Amino acid sequence: MTFSDTSDNTNQEKKEQSKSVKKNKEKSKKNSEKELKINNRQDLQEIIYSKKDEKTKMNAYNQAIEKDILPRSNNYQESVYAYEESVWLQNNSN
C-alpha cells in the first residue's frame, strides 16, 4: 500500500463520516419538527411558555405562521415576544 492509497482511504472515510453526520442532523431536525405538531394557538402557547430551548420555540412559532394560525410579527425578536406581538396583531387587525 502506498501513501497515495492510504490518503485515498482516509479521504473516503472522512466523506462517509460527513454524510453520516448530515443524515443524522436531517433526521433529528425532521423528528423535532414532527414532535411540535402545532395545530392551533393553544399548542403554540404551550411551547412558547415552556422551558424548551429558543430554537425549538422559534421553530414552533414559524410553523404556526406557515399554517396561518397567527400573523407574522413585524420585528425580529425572541420567540416569546414575537408570539405576543402576533397575538396582539391578530386581536387588533379589524
Side-chain angles (χ1 to χ4, degrees):
M1 185 180 294
T2 66
F3 177 74
S4 178
D5 292 339
T6 304
S7 178
D8 289 343
N9 288 341
T10 303
N11 287 338
Q12 184 64 29
E13 288 174 10
K14 286 181 181 179
K15 286 179 184 177
E16 289 174 9
Q17 287 175 346
S18 178
K19 286 180 184 178
S20 177
V21 168
K22 286 180 184 177
K23 284 181 183 179
N24 288 338
K25 284 183 180 180
E26 289 173 7
K27 284 181 184 178
S28 66
K29 182 178 178 183
K30 287 179 183 178
N31 288 339
S32 68
E33 288 176 359
K34 288 179 185 177
E35 291 173 12
L36 296 176
K37 295 184 183 178
I38 307 300
N39 296 317
N40 55 45
R41 203 162 95 186
Q42 181 65 33
D43 294 341
L44 176 60
Q45 183 177 350
E46 288 174 12
I47 292 173
I48 292 293
Y49 292 120
S50 72
K51 294 185 185 245
K52 294 186 185 292
D53 62 277
E54 181 64 18
K55 184 177 179 182
T56 301
K57 291 177 181 183
M58 194 52 81
N59 286 341
Y61 175 78
N62 287 327
Q63 197 176 109
I65 300 301
E66 289 173 8
K67 292 181 178 182
D68 291 325
I69 294 171
L70 287 174
R72 181 167 301 282
S73 167
N74 294 324
N75 301 300
Y76 182 79
Q77 52 202 347
E78 289 182 21
S79 58
V80 172
Y81 301 119
Y83 166 76
E84 290 174 352
E85 183 176 339
S86 292
V87 170
W88 186 91
L89 287 168
Q90 187 177 47
N91 291 337
N92 294 291
S93 64
N94 290 329

